[in-house]
Amino acid sequence: MPDYHDDLRLAHVLADAADAATMDRFKALDLKVETKPDMTPVSEADKAAEELIRGHLHRARPRDAILGEEYGVEGTGPRRWVIDPIDGTKNYVRGVPVWATLISLMEAGDEGFRPVVGVVSAPALNRRWWAAKGAGAYTGRSLTSATRMQVSKVGRIADASFAFSSLSGWEEQGRLDGLLDLTRACWRTRGYGDFWPYMMVAEGSVDLCAEPELSLWDMAAPAIVVQEAGGRYTALDGEDGPGGGNAAASNGLLHDELLGYLNQRY
């Protein structure tokens, strides 16, 4: 199996640079915010962080392609870095500390592009999570100061904690009834949203989470973290990986039931 240690180390360097840039503008009274064509917000910090990461990659990995939320695709080839400079921009612009920079390296294979490295860095929470293919998932302050993560062993929906982002997207897709049935069946539900529930699945503090509509840059890094922690990360149709436009993540033991609820009335 390939060794991705150098790529993982680079991803941490990229995350360090992005953390410094985003924290410098977090809660700034003069932060500039625009509305994109899809009616979602983008701040000057989103753009600056992505530009910073792209600049580092141009120097360190000039042959690799880059896909970012703000500036699209650049380059071609079997290796592609996927960047969400600020996942949770709505939180960021309102001063809520739940946001993160997501950095992933994806490699082409027989089943298309798959993530092989992922870093999720949430500096306002003072938390970071990461994983590399075949090397496990970790959380901590640095590569040398880290704790290995493992998903939970909860085996019954009635004992499970389920996290979701909002109700509107599920309603738009005609999946709201199934989602509500799942919330009634679970022991506990919370609407943490964005990257955080996936990291809690990886840590074992949440057992299930799902979102009805996502982009690749939202999912590539969380997917490998969940998978390397022993969990499952699929689309709502059950396809493994982050390529399906939506997501369901679990400790693995409850995954089929999770998908069953979310698809039962669809």
Side-chain angles (χ1 to χ4, degrees):
M1 180 175 292
D3 183 353
Y4 296 102
H5 184 76
D6 287 345
D7 294 310
L8 181 60
R9 185 179 296 276
L10 173 60
H12 275 270
V13 172
L14 301 175
D16 289 343
D19 285 356
T22 52
M23 285 300 292
D24 184 59
R25 299 299 292 154
F26 184 49
K27 295 187 178 181
L29 296 179
D30 60 344
L31 181 72
K32 296 178 181 177
V33 182
E34 303 170 1
T35 300
K36 294 193 287 189
D38 64 359
M39 302 308 294
T40 61
V42 58
S43 74
E44 62 181 83
D46 293 79
K47 294 179 178 180
E50 184 167 326
E51 289 172 347
L52 190 64
I53 293 171
R54 284 176 181 267
H56 277 278
L57 287 172
H58 288 155
R59 295 187 293 273
R61 296 289 190 275
R63 296 182 179 179
D64 293 352
I66 304 171
L67 169 65
E69 179 177 9
E70 307 308 334
Y71 295 106
V73 179
E74 182 179 2
T76 60
R79 288 166 48 99
R80 177 185 295 170
W81 293 87
V82 180
I83 306 159
D84 189 344
I86 299 179
D87 182 54
T89 298
K90 292 178 182 178
N91 283 345
Y92 184 88
V93 301
R94 288 295 303 271
V96 178
V98 183
W99 49 270
T101 296
L102 313 183
I103 300 168
S104 177
L105 172 63
M106 302 186 75
E107 280 193 346
D110 294 339
E111 298 180 351
F113 279 92
R114 296 288 185 179
V116 295
V117 166
V119 172
V120 176
S121 190
L125 295 176
N126 198 29
R127 296 295 309 276
R128 184 177 290 185
W129 305 262
W130 64 88
K133 185 177 180 180
Y138 294 84
T139 184
R141 295 184 178 274
S142 68
L143 284 167
T144 57
S145 178
T147 302
R148 188 159 186 170
M149 295 189 292
Q150 193 70 34
V151 296
S152 76
K153 299 187 185 311
V154 172
R156 297 188 336 129
I157 287 289
D159 299 326
S161 180
F162 170 57
F164 61 95
S165 55
S166 66
L167 298 180
S168 58
W170 299 102
E171 187 172 27
E172 290 167 5
Q173 291 193 8
R175 299 180 189 264
L176 182 59
D177 288 341
L179 178 81
L180 294 176
D181 286 347
L182 176 60
T183 64
R184 297 181 186 108
C186 287
W187 165 65
R188 190 169 190 255
T189 60
R190 285 294 184 271
Y192 299 108
D194 300 308
F195 69 93
W196 204 9
Y198 301 100
M199 298 304 97
M200 287 190 277
V201 168
E203 290 179 319
S205 54
V206 165
D207 311 299
L208 311 161
C209 67
E211 289 184 90
E213 186 175 3
L214 293 166
S215 298
L216 182 59
W217 46 75
D218 299 311
M219 299 185 283
I224 189 169
V225 173
V226 169
Q227 291 165 342
E228 286 294 324
R232 283 192 68 190
Y233 190 109
T234 73
L236 296 178
D237 65 6
E239 177 187 353
D240 285 323
N246 46 48
S250 76
N251 64 3
L253 300 174
L254 302 171
H255 205 81
D256 290 342
E257 286 185 84
L258 170 62
L259 296 179
Y261 273 101
L262 298 179
N263 289 302
Q264 67 177 346
R265 302 189 190 183
Y266 180 56

